[in-house]
Each structure stands twice: as structure tokens, then as C-alpha cells.
């Protein structure tokens, strides 16, 4: 059985039915004061009855803007990313922009495809957090050439054309490691991911610097670079248990991994923090649901997202007055809980 496609309703159809000009319908649909309220009401009711849809595409072509903003994120299972997206959506929605989200699934290949797709959709601006294996920013060059503003948050590349919204990852990791040292830990392990990414390389550097400043020897066997999956953390925890000497503390770069690590280590008979103290990162909800609760770094995703979106909106509203190479550092802080507090 074939289905006949209904004709798209235009302002001319509404005008013909009401016996008024198409220009009056156009102004009435925009709630223009030149059209009296009674006529505006008739136009709105008729448009709704006929199923009229505003032709945003044609409007966009005329105005050279789509009132849409693109966002590329690296994963959807991160509480930090979800909260950052909430912050972005809050600001873009208040400013009258629609948000189109692309998900790279932690691969540069999908990130490139997302960037290409959003560019062709003519987004007015772009907010992005880079994938795990992204090695260059060539796929963002079309935006830079067209002077379409790009704001990078969390995972960024140094010395690029975009605005960057970050925290001081070096200092956060330094503070976390110093805290463990102050708890009399001397064999501190570190679990991290791809050290080409700024967030992981900077945290690794902060960890190394704290060890050096406090006279502790760095042991490369106690640095675990993995994909941050449950399986990888389980494997790491099992390796730690059988080490001799065994680390007496571990600093992990997110709270999910810290939670999995605690669960596995406890299952293998270790006391947390007595046998091994644990510090995570991000202050995700899971950090307060574990026993013991996880010491962590507060990483305000919602604020990061709001600031990223505000910077982009400001750039769109004032294209000539913004610094395209700006870096904004958001405050973060160490939150001390039971997973690292030892009783002396």
C-alpha cells in the first residue's frame, strides 16, 4: 500500500486561506508588532491547524547562520562529560541556540567524521573534547579557516587556534601525590591512560614532580598505562597484589577506576587504606558510594561546560573582540576521604 506524501504547507497557503498577503503572514509568524494581535492570533492558529513548519534552512541561508552549535565528546559513560554537556546545553539553550552532539567513541576516526559532519551542517560554532588517540587537529582546520569559533575543553592540544577550558592537571596530581606522601606512603603507584593526551601527561608530570620534591624514587614498574577499562584495572590490581615490594598507595586518574581498584584489592584481601591507600580523580558520585569513600580531585564538569559555552557565545556575539588563543583555567581541589586517610 503506497502512502501519498502530504504537500509542505507554505506561508502562501496560509495567506490564501485567510485572504491576506504572504508578507503579513510572515510578519505575523514572527510576532511582529506591525501586525495587530487579532490577526497574529488567526495566523498562528491557522498555521498550527495546517501543520505549517518554519523553513529554518532557508532562513539560515539568508542570515548566514543556523543558530546551532556543535559539540564533540569522547565518551557518553563519563559522569564528568555528562555534567559538562549539561552545562553547555544550559547556556546554549538560554542564548537561543540548538545543540548537535557528536560522539567520537574515543577514536580519532570518528572524531574526524563528526567534525566533517558538523562543518557541513554549518554550525555557528564548535565545542570539543579530544578522543583518546587524536594525534593532530587537521580536521578542525576548516573551522579555523572560516573563522568559525572553536572551544576545546578538558582534553586539548597546546598551541592551537581554539579557546581552551581546562583545570591545572599538574597541580591537582601534585597535590594528590603529596597527600599520599603525608600519609606516610613511600611506594606510590600511578594508573593512567594515553600520555599523549594533555590530561594524562600533565597528571603524570605532577605525580613525578611530587615524588622528586619529597625525595622518593620513581619506579616505572609502578606506573600503569592502560585504557581505563574495568578489565585493565582488574589486571593492574592483581599485578599489584603480587608485587614485591608492593605499592602502599595508588593514584588513579578517574574515580571509576579507583572504585574498581578498591573492589578488586579488597576482594584479594587487602585493607583500604591500611595496606594500600587510594586516590581517584573527578569527584564522581561513585566516589561517595564506595566503602571507604574515595579521596579525589573535584573536577567541576558543569562549570567547565558553562564556561566553554559562554566563551563560544561571546565569540559569536563579538567576533572581532575575542582572543582566539585564550586559555581559561578552572579551579579544582583535593577532597580527602577515607580511602587515603591512614591511622598512625
Amino acid at each position: 500500500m503506497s502512502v501519498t506524501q502530504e504537500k509542505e504547507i507554505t506561508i502562501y497557503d496560509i495567506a490564501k486561506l485567510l485572504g491576506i498577503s504572504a508578507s503579513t503572514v510572515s510578519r505575523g509568524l514572527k510576532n511582529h508588532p506591525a501586525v495587530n494581535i487579532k490577526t497574529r492570533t488567526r495566523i498562528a492558529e491557522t498555521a498550527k491547524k495546517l501543520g505549517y513548519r518554519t523553513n529554518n534552512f532557508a532562513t539560515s541561508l539568508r542570515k548566514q547562520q543556523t543558530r546551532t552549535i556543535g559539540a564533540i565528546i569522547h565518551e557518553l559513560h563519563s559522569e564528568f562529560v555528562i555534567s559538562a554537556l549539561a552545562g553547555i546545553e544550559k547556556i546554549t539553550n538560554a542564548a537561543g541556540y540548538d545543540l548537535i552532539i557528536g560522539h567520537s567513541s574515543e577514536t580519532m576516526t570518528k572524531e574526524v567524521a563528526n567534525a566533517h559532519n558538523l562543518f557541513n551542517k554549518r554550525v555557528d560554532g564548535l565545542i570539543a573534547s579530544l578522543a583518546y588517540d587524536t594525534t593532530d587537529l587537521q580536521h578542525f582546520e576548516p573551522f579555523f579557516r572560516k573563522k568559525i569559533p572553536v572551544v576545546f575543553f578538558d582534553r586539548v592540544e597546546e598551541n592551537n587556534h581554539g579557546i581552551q577550558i581546562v583545570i591545572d592537571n599538574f597541580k591537582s596530581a601534585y597535590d594528590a601525590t603529596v597527600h599520599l606522601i603525608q600519609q606516610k606512603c613511600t611506594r606510590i603507584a600511578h594508573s593512567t591512560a594515553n600520555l599523549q593526551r594533555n590530561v594524562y601527561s600533565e597528571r603524570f608530570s605532577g605525580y613525578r614532580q611530587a615524588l622528586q620534591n619529597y625525595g622518593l624514587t620513581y619506579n616505572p614498574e609502578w606506573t600503569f598505562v592502560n585504557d581505563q577499562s574495568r578489565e585493565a584495572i582488574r589486571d593492574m590490581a592483581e599485578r599489584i597484589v603480587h608485587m614485591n615490594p608492593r605499592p602502599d598507595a595508588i593514584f588513579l586518574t578517574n574515580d571509576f577506576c579507583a572504585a574498581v581498584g578498591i573492589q578488586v584489592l579488597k576482594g584479594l584481601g587487602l585493607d583500604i587504606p591500611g595496606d594500600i591507600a587510594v586516590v581517584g580523580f573527578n569527584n564522581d558520585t561513585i566516589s561517595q558510594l564506595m566503602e571507604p569513600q574515595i579521596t579525589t580531585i573535584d573536577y567541576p564538569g558543569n562549570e567547565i561546560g558553562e564556561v566553554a559555552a559562554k566563551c563560544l557565545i561571546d565569540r559569536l556575539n563579538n567576533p572581532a573582540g575575542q582572543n582566539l588563543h585564550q586559555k581559561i583555567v578552572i579551579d579544582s581541589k583535593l577532597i580527602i576521604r577515607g580511602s587515603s586517610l591512614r591511622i598512625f
Side-chain angles (χ1 to χ4, degrees), residues 13 96 317:
D13 297 314
N317 290 337

Side-chain angles (χ1 to χ4, degrees), residues 2 5 56 71 83 94 111 138 186 222 234 291 319:
S2 63
Q5 184 176 351
N56 289 324
S83 63
E111 182 178 290
Q138 286 300 310
T186 58
W222 294 341
R234 180 177 296 277
E291 177 55 44

Side-chain angles (χ1 to χ4, degrees), residues 33-59:
V35 181
N36 68 63
I37 187 66
K38 183 177 179 180
T39 302
R40 274 183 275 163
T41 301
R42 289 175 60 217
I43 291 170
E45 290 175 349
T46 304
K48 183 177 180 181
K49 180 179 178 180
L50 295 178
Y52 171 77
R53 296 187 300 174
T54 302
N55 191 341
N56 289 324
F57 180 72
T59 302

